[in-house]
Amino acid sequence: MARRVSGEGSISRRRDGRWEGKVRGRGFNDEPLRKSFYGNTRQEVAEQIRAYRTRHLGGAVVDLTTLEYLSQWLADGKGEWRPNTYRLRSGTARRHIIPHIGSRLVAELDVDDVKALLRRLKERSVGAATRKQAHSTLNAALNVLYRERKLLFNPCSLVRAPRYEPEEKVVLDRDQAMRLIAVAEGQVLVLVVMAATLAIREGELFGLLWNCIDRDRGTVTIIRQLTEDLHGNLVLSPLKTKASRRTLELPKLAREALQLLWESRPGEETSSLVFRDSEGNPLRKSTFIRRDFKPLLNQAGLPDVDFHSLRHSSNSFLIEEGADPLLVAKRNGHSSTRMVLDRYGHLFEGHRRQAAETMDRVFANATIGRQMVVKSSDNGGPKKTPIPKSLVESALNVVEVRRLELLTPYMRSKCSTS
């Protein structure tokens, strides 16, 4: 008789020769379930029970295909997620997930389906970053069902996400950054200086108000950012994390640039945006890059870099001057140093020499004592150290037992009686 598999239920043969399987359990909302299955073979009944367990005892939403569930999941998240998150997940699901497994029932998705999805994307020359995003999107969607006990397990959790190693981006060095600042003017100059000296994110710069700048104390407080909503309108929105809300000291160059911009706008209100387009509207990133930043790079004869790369250049300058990872992380609005070490870890290698030089300054007045100096004998050969008399006498109390050992009281008593 074949051994019953775990979770198969109770299967027995009826008098009429057919097989019967019985299943008991609790389904969605913990309602009791009892079901019988019949078939001509034991294997046929076992397969019916396994399918039933997957669809009912796990509370799975069997009536929804992957297409229907993802559409529902995206609709629910539309009002909760940030616009960029919604656009990314929606586009990934529509272009890379639904065309391949959209017709599959959510309850029937398994590890092989996820592997096949990633394999098809790779065969179609989809990049590793996009394949990783497809895995992440499907995993997030199925996790909702798993947490609600509507799926027995999330198959994505058993499939390793594709590895993605971002390419090293070209950033400007110190001389190139100085050349860029030299050819810039107006508010473009201020934007370049703020990005290169403070490593502020693009959205944070474009969403900066004059009342966030304390010109007397020389500080700037980052409390909001300029983003696009789902309709493409520019709106001021809160920052992503608590660590992103921060106050930075303005370097002299940034203070001077901001002061000149303030003086060039008489009657400016403190509640207005610092950076605006020619019509006084919020500055759109794509417009600024196309009309101002890219032509500025060409004018200065510099490589074609992203405006965001100035943030990386600023961090590199700071690390090269000896800043520790915690300072760089707080300045960037990160909650930990992990991202800083992952991105700029190679730049901290030079700090080993700096650490040694720091210790030299700390112990500059310390000298090595005479006890560390070994003097040679008069005849130039090594000076023999005489053996103390007490050590010679103690050697008489040593016996050889596999190795030289001191006599113990027990050994002394045995020696005296022999």
Side-chain angles (χ1 to χ4, degrees):
M1 182 176 178
R3 184 177 180 181
R4 185 165 61 91
V5 180
S6 176
E8 194 177 66
S10 175
I11 302 178
S12 60
R13 193 163 190 171
R14 294 165 51 91
R15 292 181 180 179
D16 59 2
R18 302 179 67 202
W19 291 84
E20 178 184 7
K22 297 180 180 181
V23 175
R24 295 181 180 180
R26 292 187 178 274
F28 187 51
N29 293 330
D30 285 340
E31 74 275 12
L33 293 177
R34 182 178 299 177
K35 184 76 173 177
S36 296
F37 300 89
Y38 304 93
N40 295 325
T41 64
R42 190 180 193 282
Q43 182 179 359
E44 181 182 346
V45 174
E47 291 177 353
Q48 293 181 43
I49 292 176
R50 281 195 293 271
Y52 179 81
R53 281 187 175 278
T54 300
R55 299 177 181 178
H56 294 279
L57 294 187
V61 190
V62 295
D63 294 333
L64 293 180
T65 63
T66 303
L67 165 62
E68 293 169 338
Y69 171 66
L70 286 178
S71 300
Q72 175 183 311
W73 175 67
L74 290 169
D76 293 340
K78 188 173 183 179
E80 299 178 2
W81 306 330
R82 293 180 177 275
N84 286 341
T85 302
Y86 174 79
R87 278 192 288 265
L88 180 61
R89 288 178 169 177
S90 176
T92 301
R94 186 176 65 256
R95 290 190 294 268
H96 304 295
I97 299 178
I98 293 175
H100 301 289
I101 59 174
S103 60
R104 291 277 290 167
L105 291 175
V106 176
E108 296 179 354
L109 288 178
D110 56 20
V111 172
D112 292 335
D113 291 319
V114 179
K115 290 182 177 180
L117 168 65
L118 298 177
R119 184 169 56 251
R120 290 171 191 167
L121 293 178
K122 187 175 182 179
E123 291 172 353
R124 287 163 173 74
S125 301
V126 177
T130 304
R131 285 185 278 122
K132 184 176 182 180
Q133 181 59 42
H135 179 278
S136 174
T137 299
L138 184 60
N139 180 60
L142 296 182
N143 262 340
V144 175
L145 294 178
Y146 177 72
R147 287 194 300 266
E148 295 176 352
R149 297 179 61 190
K150 297 179 181 179
L151 278 184
L152 294 178
F153 76 103
N154 180 355
C156 289
S157 63
L158 303 178
V159 179
R160 187 185 299 274
R163 295 189 60 181
Y164 167 63
E165 296 293 339
E167 298 180 357
E168 287 291 332
K169 292 186 177 182
V170 178
V171 298
L172 302 183
D173 58 25
R174 298 191 187 194
D175 293 337
Q176 291 173 328
M178 291 295 294
R179 286 164 52 190
L180 185 65
I181 293 174
V183 298
E185 58 184 17
Q187 78 168 6
V188 178
L189 169 64
V190 184
L191 279 166
V192 171
V193 169
M194 295 282 283
T197 61
L198 293 169
I200 302 178
R201 300 180 180 92
E202 297 166 327
E204 296 170 346
L205 275 175
F206 298 146
L208 196 61
L209 304 181
W210 281 110
N211 55 22
C212 296
I213 301 172
D214 191 330
R215 296 191 303 278
D216 296 329
R217 294 184 178 182
T219 62
V220 56
T221 302
I222 310 299
I223 58 176
R224 61 179 65 87
Q225 59 184 342
L226 189 67
T227 60
E228 290 186 8
D229 62 15
L230 294 177
H231 305 289
N233 300 319
L234 295 176
V235 294
L236 289 175
S237 59
L239 301 175
K240 289 184 178 179
T241 62
K242 183 178 179 181
S244 298
R245 187 185 179 99
R246 61 202 186 277
T247 298
L248 305 173
E249 297 285 338
L250 289 169
K252 180 181 178 182
L253 186 64
R255 291 204 310 267
E256 293 176 350
L258 284 169
Q259 184 63 30
L260 289 175
L261 184 62
W262 172 262
E263 294 175 354
S264 66
R265 297 176 178 175
E268 182 85 333
E269 296 182 0
T270 58
S271 59
S272 59
L273 288 166
V274 177
F275 306 108
R276 306 187 295 270
D277 61 17
S278 57
E279 299 178 356
N281 299 318
L283 188 60
R284 191 177 294 273
K285 172 187 171 181
S286 58
T287 303
F288 166 75
I289 298 297
R290 184 180 69 257
R291 294 183 179 179
D292 299 311
F293 187 68
K294 293 300 182 180
L296 190 66
L297 290 173
N298 294 332
Q299 182 181 350
L302 297 174
D304 186 17
V305 299
D306 299 329
F307 182 71
H308 183 77
S309 68
L310 293 179
R311 175 177 167 90
H312 298 306
S313 295
S314 180
N315 291 329
S316 301
F317 303 155
L318 201 62
I319 295 171
E320 290 170 357
E321 290 298 321
D324 63 271
L326 183 59
L327 172 62
V328 178
K330 289 186 175 181
R331 181 173 177 262
N332 281 264
H334 298 156
S335 57
S336 69
T337 60
R338 179 179 178 179
M339 187 173 295
V340 173
L341 293 176
D342 288 345
R343 180 66 178 83
Y344 309 103
H346 62 285
L347 297 179
F348 288 97
E349 293 295 325
H351 289 191
R352 292 181 297 183
R353 180 65 257 169
Q354 182 182 354
E357 294 174 351
T358 300
M359 290 298 101
D360 289 339
R361 292 194 298 271
V362 171
F363 296 100
N365 297 327
T367 57
I368 300 299
R370 295 180 58 188
Q371 67 275 14
M372 298 297 294
V373 180
V374 180
K375 295 183 178 180
S376 60
S377 60
D378 296 338
N379 56 9
K383 184 177 181 179
K384 296 183 179 180
T385 303
I387 301 176
K389 183 178 181 180
S390 59
L391 184 60
V392 175
E393 293 176 351
S394 64
L396 299 177
N397 296 325
V398 177
V399 295
E400 183 177 359
V401 184
R402 294 187 181 179
R403 63 180 186 274
L404 294 179
E405 296 180 355
L406 294 178
L407 286 173
T408 64
Y410 174 78
M411 296 170 62
R412 293 178 188 276
S413 65
K414 291 296 183 182
C415 292
S416 61
T417 58
S418 58

